[in-house]
């Protein structure tokens, strides 16, 4: 019975499939959903504006930031769990009846209703709505607040991979006059850290500056943040806070964790991360017409002769080799797939200049040390990275991601760490894993005859290029089709009157470009194109040869004896489809359209002879 159950699984049961099946493969195993609690200080100080009247209150900045994360999560990872908790409130609402703690939303998937509920607290009207519904107070115990958050995590029934609390406040010493409360809060924060719950501080602008050393240095999960440098300056603007939150909201998951062998006796452990993934529109979900419930698909295999259901053990796989069908057992097919043990193996080092742009095969991955498998990996990795940066070399390696995948030929290109003015990490230190082409992958392209430009034309084009140069960052250009698609969905989900129009930043700024170039374009046209050149003029179609369609028929240069030799040696498949069709026509055979049908017809014909 278990064999039937494993065979007739429902498509869409991702969690069960991933939890049970991927671990043996060596790639990223499903470890649960990410969960995040937004913990917002709702004391009176959070509702006071700074001297600049145009600025938002710290509370308004926090709400708008949380709402932005919600909408992004709906698009990018709607299976993650989010919650919002206010503390320092007048009213209370929580499972353990602690005073001054209000759980607005418990851990659940982000949705339209939750986004609309948060939107009620935005702006001046939102502040009045908050005061009427919840109210802001001043007295609270941070240890009790953290206790409530821990209970929210424990009440969730699904498996969670990453538990994080983001604390928004502009109070740097919440229990300055009560050492007992401060001590209990530090102890509770330590307990959360021990159970795998990480606390991040998103401190906001405060008159006189925010001093983390007074209290929060002992509370936040600093060990988790060593690579991200979280002790930034406080945020006074929404943009600054959003950048910090987005840098911390998602756990960086490794595609695979494996050993990097530098020699026979020296190895370290690394994680391979995916930095670029093509963003596509999510596929439509099939719904049952009457109830709008999602429809699940089941796949079954039947015997074409008897119509009976088949088990996996009833089927085999085969390959055709030289007109022979070779049947393989399940164990044999698995054996054929295994090439090498998963891992990175160092082959040698080459100058960075030898890595060419035309070597590009697919988007690169990122390599970062993993201390969990081999102790000391970070130190050895750092030493290797430093030396590669100093000597400007790449490490050429053999990369096998898991057992059933053939090895790749790769280059590890070193990258130095880069921080912005707020000490937020822009680029992490590590290696870009660049896939290199094998000799079999390269193709020779028949280039046309080279037309050489004269020095005057070259100088004019140099001037045009110089005028149109600009600073480029790939993350500054969003896909306009995707952005408009998600804005349309957002408008439908939130009952907006009309969707927000996405700005297409990929369109060239023609007016500004013309202003920069001036007369350079016309001067270049005069140098390159003939006087009567018109780019919009249609090119006349070339007349076909008098031979008509009959001249397109391929000439069959192979004799009957040569075709027989091809059949006997099993090399008939090397001939092109037009040649096979012509051979069938010459010998009066009906071969069909597909190449295999043509091969079968010719093989049967000559084997009879």
């Amino acid at each position: 019975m278990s064999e039937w159950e494993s065979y007739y699984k429902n498509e869409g049961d991702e969690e069960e499939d991933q939890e049970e099946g991927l671990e043996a493969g060596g790639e990223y195993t499903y470890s649960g959903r990410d969960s995040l609690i937004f913990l917002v200080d709702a004391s009176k100080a959070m509702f006071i504006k700074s001297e600049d009247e145009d600025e938002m209150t710290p509370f308004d900045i926090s709400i708008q930031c949380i709402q932005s994360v919600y909408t992004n999560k709906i698009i990018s990872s709607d299976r993650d769990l989010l919650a919002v908790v206010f503390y320092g409130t007048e009213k209370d609402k929580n499972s353990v009846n602690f005073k001054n703690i209000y759980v607005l939303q418990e851990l659940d998937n982000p949705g339209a209703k939750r986004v609309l509920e948060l939107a009620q607290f935005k702006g001046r009207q939102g502040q009045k709505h908050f005061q009427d519904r919840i109210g802001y107070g001043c007295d609270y115990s941070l240890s009790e607040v953290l206790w409530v958050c821990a209970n929210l995590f424990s009440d969730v029934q699904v498996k969670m991979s990453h538990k994080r609390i983001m604390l928004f406040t502009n109070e740097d010493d919440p229990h300055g006059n009560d050492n007992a409360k401060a001590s209990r809060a530090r102890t509770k924060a330590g307990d959360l850290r021990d159970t795998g719950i990480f606390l991040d501080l998103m401190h906001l602008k405060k008159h006189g500056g925010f001093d983390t050393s007074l209290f929060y240095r002992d509370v936040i999960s600093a060990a988790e943040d060593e690579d991200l440098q979280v002790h930034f300056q406080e945020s006074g603007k929404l943009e600054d806070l959003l950048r910090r939150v987005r840098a911390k909201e998602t756990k960086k998951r490794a595609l695979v964790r494996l050993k990097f062998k530098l020699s026979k006796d020296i190895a370290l452990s690394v994680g391979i991360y995916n930095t670029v993934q093509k963003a596509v529109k999510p596929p439509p979900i099939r719904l049952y017409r009457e109830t709008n419930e999602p429809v699940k698909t089941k796949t079954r295999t039947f015997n074409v002769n008897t119509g009976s259901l088949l088990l996996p053990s009833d089927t085999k796989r085969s390959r055709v080799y030289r007109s022979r069908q070779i049947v393989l057992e399940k164990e044999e097919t698995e054996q054929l797939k295994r090439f090498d043990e998963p891992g990175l193996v160092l082959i040698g080092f080459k100058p960075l200049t030898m890595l060419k742009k035309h070597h590009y095969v697919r988007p690169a991955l990122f390599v970062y040390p993993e201390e969990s498998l081999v102790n000391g990996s970070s130190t050895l990795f750092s030493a290797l990275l430093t030396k590669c940066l100093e000597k400007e070399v790449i490490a050429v390696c053999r990369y096998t991601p898991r057992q059933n995948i053939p090895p790749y030929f790769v280059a590890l290109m070193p990258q130095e760490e880069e921080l912005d003015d707020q000490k937020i990490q822009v680029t992490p230190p590590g290696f870009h894993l660049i896939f290199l082409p094998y000799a079999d992958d390269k193709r020779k392209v028949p280039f046309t005859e080279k037309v050489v430009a004269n020095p005057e034309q070259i100088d004019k084009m140099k001037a045009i290029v110089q005028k149109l140069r600009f600073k480029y960052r790939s993350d500054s250009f969003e896909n306009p089709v995707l952005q408009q698609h998600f804005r349309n969905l957002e408008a439908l989900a939130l009952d907006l009157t009309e969707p927000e129009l996405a700005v297409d930043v990929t369109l060239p700024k023609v007016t500004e470009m013309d202003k920069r170039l001036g007369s350079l374009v016309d001067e270049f046209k005069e140098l390159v194109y003939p006087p009567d050149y018109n780019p919009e003029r249609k090119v006349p179609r070339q007349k076909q040869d008098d031979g008509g369609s009959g001249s397109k028929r391929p000439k069959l240069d192979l004799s009957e004896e040569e075709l027989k030799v091809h059949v006997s040696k099993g090399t008939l498949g090397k001939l092109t489809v037009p040649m096979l069709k012509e051979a069938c026509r010459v010998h009066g055979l009906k071969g069909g359209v597909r190449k295999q049908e043509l091969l079968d017809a010719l093989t049967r014909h000559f084997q009879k002879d």
Side-chain angles (χ1 to χ4, degrees), residues 355 364 394-397 409-413 431-436:
L355 190 63
I394 56 173
V396 182
C397 302
F409 189 43
V410 299
L412 301 185
M413 188 178 74
F431 288 97
H432 287 285
L433 188 147
I434 298 171
F435 293 88
L436 299 176

Side-chain angles (χ1 to χ4, degrees), residues 337-381:
K337 291 179 182 178
R338 292 176 185 167
F339 291 87
D340 199 1
E341 287 297 317
L344 267 170
V345 180
L346 179 66
I347 297 174
F349 297 93
K350 287 289 181 181
L352 190 59
T353 53
M354 292 192 71
L355 190 63
K356 305 298 182 183
K357 291 179 180 177
H358 61 265
H359 289 161
Y360 176 86
V361 176
R362 52 177 278 192
L365 302 175
F366 194 74
V367 183
Y368 199 76
E370 282 282 341
E371 201 72 22
S372 57
L373 298 177
V374 178
N375 289 332
S377 294
S378 298
T379 305
L380 183 53
F381 185 91

Side-chain angles (χ1 to χ4, degrees), residues 259-319:
K259 287 189 177 180
F260 182 9
K261 296 178 183 176
L262 303 182
S263 68
K264 187 178 180 181
D265 303 319
I266 302 175
L268 65 151
S269 58
V270 294
I272 309 294
Y273 295 84
N274 191 7
T275 55
V276 177
Q277 181 72 38
K278 182 175 175 59
V280 295
K281 291 181 184 178
I285 300 172
R286 292 177 179 271
L287 302 176
Y288 185 47
R289 183 191 298 272
E290 296 181 4
T291 62
N292 277 353
E293 292 180 353
V295 177
K296 294 186 177 180
T297 306
K298 290 185 177 181
T299 305
R300 299 184 179 185
T301 308
F302 294 89
N303 186 319
V304 292
N305 296 321
T306 63
S308 59
L309 281 171
L310 296 176
L311 286 167
S313 57
D314 295 330
T315 60
K316 293 183 179 180
R317 287 178 171 83
S318 68
R319 302 282 292 183

Side-chain angles (χ1 to χ4, degrees), residues 433-450:
L433 188 147
I434 298 171
F435 293 88
L436 299 176
Y438 285 112
D440 319 64
D441 302 329
K442 294 190 175 181
R443 297 287 182 268
K444 289 184 180 179
V445 180
F447 293 105
T448 57
E449 185 180 350
K450 187 178 181 181

